[in-house]
Amino acid sequence: MQPVKPTLLQIHQLDSCESTNRSLLSAAEAGAPAGTVMVAREQTAGRGRRGRAWIGEPGKTLAFSLLWTFPVTPDAL
């Protein structure tokens, strides 16, 4: 089985959101294709590594999440 390769990135710009990751997961569950990107000017409740908060103030951070798919089996990577 071949991985799905996006032809174009589908970029969705949000003025503000709790988390670009949460927004992207919701979009993926609704059928968003590989190559979908969520970008937010402000992120109010993001999550970093080790449970740390990832807050993005307008104009001070870059907050985005990218939906990408990989081959089904690790050896195909």
Side-chain angles (χ1 to χ4, degrees), residues 24-76:
L24 186 61
L25 287 172
S26 293
E29 289 172 355
T36 299
V37 181
M38 288 290 176
V39 179
R41 186 169 176 269
E42 174 185 37
Q43 183 171 260
T44 60
R47 294 174 300 176
R49 293 178 59 185
R50 299 182 181 166
R52 296 182 181 130
W54 189 272
I55 307 301
E57 295 180 46
K60 294 187 178 183
T61 62
L62 174 62
F64 72 93
S65 294
L66 167 67
L67 175 62
W68 202 256
T69 57
F70 295 92
V72 177
T73 58
D75 60 321

Side-chain angles (χ1 to χ4, degrees), residues 17-35:
C17 69
E18 288 184 3
S19 162
T20 58
N21 194 39
R22 284 187 211 149
S23 296
L24 186 61
L25 287 172
S26 293
E29 289 172 355

